[in-house]
Short mmCIF file of all heavy atoms in Angstrom, two decimals:
data_model
loop_
_atom_site.label_atom_id
_atom_site.label_comp_id
_atom_site.label_asym_id
_atom_site.label_seq_id
_atom_site.Cartn_x
_atom_site.Cartn_y
_atom_site.Cartn_z
N ARG A 92 -64.16 -120.56 173.19
CA ARG A 92 -64.75 -119.29 172.75
C ARG A 92 -65.88 -118.83 173.67
O ARG A 92 -66.57 -117.85 173.35
CB ARG A 92 -65.26 -119.42 171.32
CG ARG A 92 -64.16 -119.60 170.29
CD ARG A 92 -64.70 -119.80 168.88
NE ARG A 92 -63.65 -119.80 167.88
CZ ARG A 92 -62.87 -120.82 167.62
NH1 ARG A 92 -63.02 -121.96 168.28
NH2 ARG A 92 -61.94 -120.74 166.69
N ASN A 93 -66.06 -119.53 174.79
CA ASN A 93 -67.15 -119.18 175.73
C ASN A 93 -68.48 -119.03 175.01
O ASN A 93 -69.23 -118.07 175.23
CB ASN A 93 -66.81 -117.88 176.48
CG ASN A 93 -65.78 -118.08 177.57
OD1 ASN A 93 -65.14 -119.13 177.66
ND2 ASN A 93 -65.60 -117.08 178.41
N THR A 94 -68.77 -119.98 174.16
CA THR A 94 -69.96 -119.90 173.31
C THR A 94 -70.72 -121.22 173.33
O THR A 94 -70.12 -122.29 173.35
CB THR A 94 -69.56 -119.54 171.87
OG1 THR A 94 -68.88 -118.29 171.87
CG2 THR A 94 -70.79 -119.43 170.97
N VAL A 95 -72.03 -121.11 173.31
CA VAL A 95 -72.91 -122.27 173.16
C VAL A 95 -73.71 -122.09 171.88
O VAL A 95 -74.20 -121.00 171.60
CB VAL A 95 -73.83 -122.42 174.37
CG1 VAL A 95 -74.92 -123.46 174.11
CG2 VAL A 95 -73.03 -122.82 175.61
N HIS A 96 -73.81 -123.17 171.12
CA HIS A 96 -74.57 -123.14 169.86
C HIS A 96 -75.82 -123.99 169.97
O HIS A 96 -75.83 -125.01 170.67
CB HIS A 96 -73.70 -123.68 168.72
CG HIS A 96 -72.41 -122.94 168.55
ND1 HIS A 96 -72.34 -121.67 168.04
CD2 HIS A 96 -71.13 -123.31 168.83
CE1 HIS A 96 -71.08 -121.27 168.00
NE2 HIS A 96 -70.33 -122.25 168.48
N LEU A 97 -76.84 -123.58 169.26
CA LEU A 97 -78.07 -124.38 169.16
C LEU A 97 -78.36 -124.55 167.67
O LEU A 97 -78.78 -123.61 167.00
CB LEU A 97 -79.23 -123.69 169.85
CG LEU A 97 -80.54 -124.50 169.88
CD1 LEU A 97 -80.37 -125.72 170.82
CD2 LEU A 97 -81.71 -123.65 170.36
N GLN A 98 -78.09 -125.75 167.17
CA GLN A 98 -78.38 -126.06 165.78
C GLN A 98 -79.82 -126.52 165.69
O GLN A 98 -80.21 -127.49 166.35
CB GLN A 98 -77.44 -127.15 165.27
CG GLN A 98 -75.98 -126.76 165.24
CD GLN A 98 -75.09 -127.92 164.85
OE1 GLN A 98 -74.71 -128.74 165.68
NE2 GLN A 98 -74.75 -128.00 163.58
N MET A 99 -80.59 -125.83 164.86
CA MET A 99 -82.01 -126.13 164.72
C MET A 99 -82.28 -126.59 163.30
O MET A 99 -81.95 -125.86 162.35
CB MET A 99 -82.84 -124.88 165.05
CG MET A 99 -82.50 -124.26 166.40
SD MET A 99 -83.57 -122.89 166.85
CE MET A 99 -83.16 -121.72 165.56
N SER A 100 -82.85 -127.74 163.15
CA SER A 100 -83.16 -128.26 161.83
C SER A 100 -84.61 -128.69 161.76
O SER A 100 -85.29 -128.78 162.78
CB SER A 100 -82.24 -129.43 161.49
OG SER A 100 -82.42 -130.49 162.40
N ASN A 101 -85.08 -128.92 160.53
CA ASN A 101 -86.47 -129.29 160.31
C ASN A 101 -87.41 -128.34 161.08
O ASN A 101 -88.32 -128.78 161.79
CB ASN A 101 -86.72 -130.74 160.72
CG ASN A 101 -88.07 -131.25 160.27
OD1 ASN A 101 -88.67 -130.72 159.34
ND2 ASN A 101 -88.57 -132.28 160.95
N LEU A 102 -87.15 -127.07 160.91
CA LEU A 102 -87.92 -126.07 161.66
C LEU A 102 -89.39 -126.05 161.24
O LEU A 102 -89.71 -126.29 160.06
CB LEU A 102 -87.29 -124.69 161.50
CG LEU A 102 -86.01 -124.49 162.33
CD1 LEU A 102 -85.19 -123.33 161.79
CD2 LEU A 102 -86.37 -124.26 163.79
N LYS A 103 -90.24 -125.76 162.20
CA LYS A 103 -91.68 -125.73 161.99
C LYS A 103 -92.21 -124.34 162.35
O LYS A 103 -91.58 -123.63 163.14
CB LYS A 103 -92.35 -126.77 162.89
CG LYS A 103 -91.82 -128.18 162.71
CD LYS A 103 -92.44 -129.13 163.72
CE LYS A 103 -91.88 -130.53 163.58
NZ LYS A 103 -92.49 -131.47 164.56
N PRO A 104 -93.34 -123.96 161.80
CA PRO A 104 -93.90 -122.64 162.16
C PRO A 104 -94.08 -122.47 163.66
O PRO A 104 -93.93 -121.34 164.17
CB PRO A 104 -95.23 -122.64 161.41
CG PRO A 104 -95.00 -123.51 160.22
CD PRO A 104 -94.09 -124.62 160.72
N GLU A 105 -94.36 -123.54 164.36
CA GLU A 105 -94.55 -123.43 165.82
C GLU A 105 -93.24 -123.20 166.57
O GLU A 105 -93.26 -122.97 167.78
CB GLU A 105 -95.26 -124.67 166.38
CG GLU A 105 -94.65 -125.98 165.97
CD GLU A 105 -95.36 -126.60 164.78
OE1 GLU A 105 -95.65 -125.88 163.80
OE2 GLU A 105 -95.57 -127.84 164.82
N ASP A 106 -92.13 -123.24 165.87
CA ASP A 106 -90.84 -122.89 166.50
C ASP A 106 -90.62 -121.37 166.51
O ASP A 106 -89.65 -120.89 167.10
CB ASP A 106 -89.68 -123.55 165.75
CG ASP A 106 -89.68 -125.06 165.87
OD1 ASP A 106 -89.93 -125.57 166.98
OD2 ASP A 106 -89.41 -125.73 164.85
N THR A 107 -91.50 -120.63 165.86
CA THR A 107 -91.38 -119.18 165.82
C THR A 107 -91.49 -118.60 167.22
O THR A 107 -92.44 -118.87 167.95
CB THR A 107 -92.48 -118.58 164.92
OG1 THR A 107 -92.26 -119.01 163.58
CG2 THR A 107 -92.47 -117.06 164.99
N ALA A 108 -90.47 -117.82 167.60
CA ALA A 108 -90.41 -117.24 168.95
C ALA A 108 -89.16 -116.38 169.06
O ALA A 108 -88.31 -116.40 168.17
CB ALA A 108 -90.36 -118.34 170.01
N VAL A 109 -89.07 -115.66 170.16
CA VAL A 109 -87.81 -115.04 170.54
C VAL A 109 -87.04 -116.08 171.36
O VAL A 109 -87.59 -116.65 172.30
CB VAL A 109 -88.02 -113.76 171.36
CG1 VAL A 109 -86.67 -113.16 171.78
CG2 VAL A 109 -88.82 -112.74 170.55
N TYR A 110 -85.81 -116.32 170.96
CA TYR A 110 -84.97 -117.30 171.64
C TYR A 110 -83.96 -116.59 172.54
O TYR A 110 -83.30 -115.64 172.10
CB TYR A 110 -84.25 -118.17 170.61
CG TYR A 110 -85.14 -119.22 170.00
CD1 TYR A 110 -86.17 -118.87 169.13
CD2 TYR A 110 -84.99 -120.57 170.32
CE1 TYR A 110 -87.01 -119.82 168.59
CE2 TYR A 110 -85.83 -121.54 169.79
CZ TYR A 110 -86.84 -121.16 168.93
OH TYR A 110 -87.67 -122.11 168.39
N TYR A 111 -83.86 -117.08 173.76
CA TYR A 111 -82.96 -116.51 174.74
C TYR A 111 -82.01 -117.58 175.25
O TYR A 111 -82.39 -118.74 175.38
CB TYR A 111 -83.74 -116.01 175.96
CG TYR A 111 -84.79 -114.97 175.68
CD1 TYR A 111 -86.07 -115.32 175.31
CD2 TYR A 111 -84.48 -113.62 175.83
CE1 TYR A 111 -87.05 -114.36 175.08
CE2 TYR A 111 -85.45 -112.64 175.60
CZ TYR A 111 -86.72 -113.03 175.22
OH TYR A 111 -87.68 -112.07 175.00
N CYS A 112 -80.79 -117.16 175.58
CA CYS A 112 -79.93 -118.04 176.35
C CYS A 112 -79.85 -117.51 177.78
O CYS A 112 -80.09 -116.32 178.04
CB CYS A 112 -78.56 -118.20 175.74
SG CYS A 112 -77.54 -116.72 175.63
N ALA A 113 -79.55 -118.42 178.68
CA ALA A 113 -79.48 -118.09 180.10
C ALA A 113 -78.39 -118.93 180.74
O ALA A 113 -78.05 -120.01 180.25
CB ALA A 113 -80.82 -118.36 180.77
N ALA A 114 -77.83 -118.43 181.82
CA ALA A 114 -76.72 -119.10 182.50
C ALA A 114 -77.05 -119.34 183.96
O ALA A 114 -77.65 -118.49 184.63
CB ALA A 114 -75.44 -118.27 182.39
N ARG A 115 -76.67 -120.51 184.44
CA ARG A 115 -76.86 -120.84 185.85
C ARG A 115 -75.62 -121.55 186.34
O ARG A 115 -75.12 -122.48 185.71
CB ARG A 115 -78.07 -121.75 186.05
CG ARG A 115 -78.24 -122.20 187.49
CD ARG A 115 -79.35 -123.21 187.67
NE ARG A 115 -79.19 -123.89 188.95
CZ ARG A 115 -79.73 -123.46 190.09
NH1 ARG A 115 -80.47 -122.36 190.10
NH2 ARG A 115 -79.53 -124.12 191.20
N ARG A 116 -75.14 -121.13 187.51
CA ARG A 116 -74.00 -121.79 188.12
C ARG A 116 -74.50 -123.09 188.74
O ARG A 116 -75.28 -123.08 189.68
CB ARG A 116 -73.35 -120.90 189.17
CG ARG A 116 -72.09 -121.47 189.76
CD ARG A 116 -71.49 -120.54 190.78
NE ARG A 116 -70.30 -121.11 191.39
CZ ARG A 116 -69.07 -120.90 190.97
NH1 ARG A 116 -68.86 -120.10 189.94
NH2 ARG A 116 -68.05 -121.45 191.58
N GLY A 117 -74.04 -124.20 188.18
CA GLY A 117 -74.54 -125.50 188.64
C GLY A 117 -75.90 -125.78 188.05
O GLY A 117 -76.64 -124.88 187.68
N MET A 118 -76.22 -127.06 187.93
CA MET A 118 -77.51 -127.43 187.32
C MET A 118 -77.88 -128.85 187.76
O MET A 118 -77.00 -129.70 187.97
CB MET A 118 -77.40 -127.39 185.80
CG MET A 118 -78.68 -127.76 185.05
SD MET A 118 -80.09 -126.71 185.51
CE MET A 118 -79.57 -125.15 184.81
N TYR A 119 -79.17 -129.07 187.90
CA TYR A 119 -79.63 -130.44 188.04
C TYR A 119 -80.90 -130.63 187.23
O TYR A 119 -81.57 -129.67 186.86
CB TYR A 119 -79.83 -130.84 189.51
CG TYR A 119 -80.47 -129.82 190.40
CD1 TYR A 119 -81.81 -129.89 190.74
CD2 TYR A 119 -79.71 -128.79 190.95
CE1 TYR A 119 -82.39 -128.96 191.58
CE2 TYR A 119 -80.28 -127.85 191.78
CZ TYR A 119 -81.61 -127.95 192.10
OH TYR A 119 -82.18 -127.03 192.93
N GLY A 120 -81.19 -131.88 186.94
CA GLY A 120 -82.14 -132.19 185.88
C GLY A 120 -83.55 -131.68 186.08
O GLY A 120 -84.24 -131.40 185.11
N SER A 121 -83.96 -131.50 187.32
CA SER A 121 -85.36 -131.14 187.55
C SER A 121 -85.65 -129.66 187.30
O SER A 121 -86.81 -129.27 187.26
CB SER A 121 -85.76 -131.50 188.97
OG SER A 121 -84.96 -130.78 189.89
N ILE A 122 -84.63 -128.85 187.10
CA ILE A 122 -84.88 -127.41 186.98
C ILE A 122 -84.35 -126.80 185.70
O ILE A 122 -84.51 -125.61 185.47
CB ILE A 122 -84.29 -126.62 188.17
CG1 ILE A 122 -82.77 -126.68 188.17
CG2 ILE A 122 -84.87 -127.11 189.49
CD1 ILE A 122 -82.13 -125.67 189.09
N TRP A 123 -83.74 -127.58 184.83
CA TRP A 123 -83.06 -126.99 183.67
C TRP A 123 -84.02 -126.18 182.80
O TRP A 123 -83.61 -125.26 182.11
CB TRP A 123 -82.38 -128.06 182.81
CG TRP A 123 -83.32 -128.88 181.98
CD1 TRP A 123 -83.87 -130.09 182.30
CD2 TRP A 123 -83.85 -128.54 180.69
NE1 TRP A 123 -84.69 -130.52 181.29
CE2 TRP A 123 -84.70 -129.60 180.29
CE3 TRP A 123 -83.67 -127.47 179.83
CZ2 TRP A 123 -85.37 -129.60 179.07
CZ3 TRP A 123 -84.34 -127.45 178.60
CH2 TRP A 123 -85.18 -128.52 178.24
N HIS A 124 -85.30 -126.52 182.82
CA HIS A 124 -86.28 -125.89 181.94
C HIS A 124 -87.01 -124.72 182.59
O HIS A 124 -87.94 -124.16 181.99
CB HIS A 124 -87.30 -126.94 181.53
CG HIS A 124 -88.08 -127.51 182.67
ND1 HIS A 124 -87.51 -128.33 183.62
CD2 HIS A 124 -89.36 -127.35 183.05
CE1 HIS A 124 -88.42 -128.67 184.49
NE2 HIS A 124 -89.54 -128.08 184.19
N ILE A 125 -86.58 -124.31 183.78
CA ILE A 125 -87.30 -123.26 184.51
C ILE A 125 -86.55 -121.93 184.39
O ILE A 125 -85.44 -121.76 184.90
CB ILE A 125 -87.49 -123.64 185.98
CG1 ILE A 125 -88.25 -124.96 186.09
CG2 ILE A 125 -88.23 -122.52 186.72
CD1 ILE A 125 -88.35 -125.49 187.50
N TRP A 126 -87.15 -121.00 183.71
CA TRP A 126 -86.56 -119.69 183.41
C TRP A 126 -86.05 -118.98 184.67
O TRP A 126 -84.96 -118.44 184.68
CB TRP A 126 -87.62 -118.85 182.70
CG TRP A 126 -87.29 -117.43 182.41
CD1 TRP A 126 -87.71 -116.34 183.11
CD2 TRP A 126 -86.51 -116.92 181.32
NE1 TRP A 126 -87.23 -115.19 182.52
CE2 TRP A 126 -86.50 -115.51 181.43
CE3 TRP A 126 -85.80 -117.52 180.27
CZ2 TRP A 126 -85.83 -114.69 180.52
CZ3 TRP A 126 -85.13 -116.69 179.37
CH2 TRP A 126 -85.15 -115.31 179.50
N SER A 127 -86.84 -118.98 185.70
CA SER A 127 -86.51 -118.21 186.90
C SER A 127 -85.38 -118.82 187.73
O SER A 127 -84.86 -118.18 188.64
CB SER A 127 -87.75 -118.06 187.79
OG SER A 127 -88.20 -119.33 188.21
N ARG A 128 -84.98 -120.03 187.43
CA ARG A 128 -83.92 -120.68 188.18
C ARG A 128 -82.52 -120.38 187.65
O ARG A 128 -81.55 -120.87 188.19
CB ARG A 128 -84.15 -122.20 188.23
CG ARG A 128 -85.46 -122.61 188.89
CD ARG A 128 -85.64 -122.07 190.29
NE ARG A 128 -84.64 -122.55 191.21
CZ ARG A 128 -84.79 -123.65 191.96
NH1 ARG A 128 -85.91 -124.35 191.90
NH2 ARG A 128 -83.84 -124.02 192.78
N TYR A 129 -82.46 -119.58 186.60
CA TYR A 129 -81.18 -119.17 186.04
C TYR A 129 -80.74 -117.85 186.66
O TYR A 129 -81.55 -117.11 187.22
CB TYR A 129 -81.27 -119.07 184.51
CG TYR A 129 -81.27 -120.43 183.84
CD1 TYR A 129 -82.40 -121.25 183.91
CD2 TYR A 129 -80.16 -120.90 183.15
CE1 TYR A 129 -82.42 -122.49 183.31
CE2 TYR A 129 -80.16 -122.14 182.54
CZ TYR A 129 -81.30 -122.94 182.63
OH TYR A 129 -81.31 -124.18 182.04
N ASN A 130 -79.45 -117.58 186.56
CA ASN A 130 -78.88 -116.39 187.19
C ASN A 130 -78.76 -115.20 186.23
O ASN A 130 -78.83 -114.04 186.65
CB ASN A 130 -77.49 -116.70 187.75
CG ASN A 130 -77.48 -117.88 188.69
OD1 ASN A 130 -76.79 -118.87 188.44
ND2 ASN A 130 -78.23 -117.80 189.78
N TYR A 131 -78.53 -115.50 184.96
CA TYR A 131 -78.31 -114.44 183.97
C TYR A 131 -79.05 -114.81 182.69
O TYR A 131 -79.18 -115.98 182.35
CB TYR A 131 -76.81 -114.27 183.68
CG TYR A 131 -75.98 -114.04 184.92
CD1 TYR A 131 -75.23 -115.08 185.47
CD2 TYR A 131 -75.93 -112.79 185.54
CE1 TYR A 131 -74.47 -114.89 186.60
CE2 TYR A 131 -75.18 -112.59 186.68
CZ TYR A 131 -74.47 -113.65 187.21
OH TYR A 131 -73.72 -113.45 188.34
N TRP A 132 -79.48 -113.79 181.97
CA TRP A 132 -80.25 -113.98 180.74
C TRP A 132 -79.78 -113.01 179.66
O TRP A 132 -79.37 -111.88 179.95
CB TRP A 132 -81.74 -113.70 181.00
CG TRP A 132 -82.34 -114.56 182.06
CD1 TRP A 132 -82.99 -115.75 181.90
CD2 TRP A 132 -82.33 -114.30 183.48
NE1 TRP A 132 -83.39 -116.24 183.12
CE2 TRP A 132 -83.00 -115.37 184.11
CE3 TRP A 132 -81.83 -113.27 184.27
CZ2 TRP A 132 -83.18 -115.45 185.48
CZ3 TRP A 132 -82.00 -113.34 185.64
CH2 TRP A 132 -82.68 -114.41 186.23
N GLY A 133 -79.86 -113.45 178.42
CA GLY A 133 -79.56 -112.58 177.28
C GLY A 133 -80.78 -111.80 176.85
O GLY A 133 -81.86 -111.92 177.44
N GLN A 134 -80.61 -111.01 175.79
CA GLN A 134 -81.68 -110.13 175.32
C GLN A 134 -82.58 -110.79 174.28
O GLN A 134 -83.65 -110.26 174.00
CB GLN A 134 -81.07 -108.85 174.73
CG GLN A 134 -80.36 -107.99 175.76
CD GLN A 134 -81.29 -107.53 176.85
OE1 GLN A 134 -82.34 -106.94 176.59
NE2 GLN A 134 -80.94 -107.80 178.11
N GLY A 135 -82.14 -111.88 173.73
CA GLY A 135 -82.98 -112.62 172.81
C GLY A 135 -82.71 -112.34 171.35
O GLY A 135 -82.18 -111.29 170.98
N THR A 136 -83.06 -113.31 170.51
CA THR A 136 -82.97 -113.18 169.05
C THR A 136 -84.21 -113.80 168.44
O THR A 136 -84.67 -114.86 168.87
CB THR A 136 -81.67 -113.82 168.52
OG1 THR A 136 -81.56 -113.58 167.12
CG2 THR A 136 -81.64 -115.33 168.75
N GLN A 137 -84.77 -113.12 167.45
CA GLN A 137 -86.04 -113.57 166.86
C GLN A 137 -85.80 -114.67 165.83
O GLN A 137 -84.93 -114.55 164.96
CB GLN A 137 -86.74 -112.39 166.18
CG GLN A 137 -88.02 -112.74 165.45
CD GLN A 137 -89.16 -113.10 166.38
OE1 GLN A 137 -89.42 -112.40 167.36
NE2 GLN A 137 -89.87 -114.19 166.08
N VAL A 138 -86.60 -115.72 165.94
CA VAL A 138 -86.62 -116.78 164.93
C VAL A 138 -88.04 -116.85 164.38
O VAL A 138 -89.00 -117.00 165.16
CB VAL A 138 -86.21 -118.14 165.52
CG1 VAL A 138 -86.45 -119.26 164.51
CG2 VAL A 138 -84.75 -118.11 165.96
N THR A 139 -88.17 -116.71 163.07
CA THR A 139 -89.47 -116.78 162.42
C THR A 139 -89.43 -117.87 161.36
O THR A 139 -88.57 -117.85 160.48
CB THR A 139 -89.85 -115.44 161.78
OG1 THR A 139 -89.83 -114.41 162.79
CG2 THR A 139 -91.23 -115.51 161.17
N VAL A 140 -90.36 -118.80 161.46
CA VAL A 140 -90.44 -119.90 160.51
C VAL A 140 -91.74 -119.76 159.72
O VAL A 140 -92.83 -119.79 160.29
CB VAL A 140 -90.41 -121.27 161.22
CG1 VAL A 140 -90.40 -122.39 160.20
CG2 VAL A 140 -89.18 -121.36 162.14
N SER A 141 -91.60 -119.57 158.42
CA SER A 141 -92.77 -119.39 157.57
C SER A 141 -93.23 -120.73 157.02
O SER A 141 -92.42 -121.62 156.76
CB SER A 141 -92.46 -118.43 156.43
OG SER A 141 -91.45 -118.96 155.61
#
Side-chain angles (χ1 to χ4, degrees):
R92 293 177 173 79
N93 284 12
T94 301
V95 169
H96 303 289
L97 184 69
Q98 296 175 276
M99 307 185 296
S100 61
N101 191 21
L102 284 161
K103 304 175 182 181
E105 51 263 44
D106 294 317
T107 295
V109 178
Y110 283 70
Y111 301 86
C112 63
R115 176 186 163 89
R116 185 179 178 94
M118 180 57 68
Y119 42 101
S121 61
I122 66 166
W123 75 265
H124 62 290
I125 302 174
W126 174 259
S127 62
R128 299 305 297 269
Y129 285 73
N130 306 120
Y131 306 102
W132 302 267
Q134 294 299 306
T136 185
Q137 176 71 46
V138 172
T139 303
V140 184
S141 63

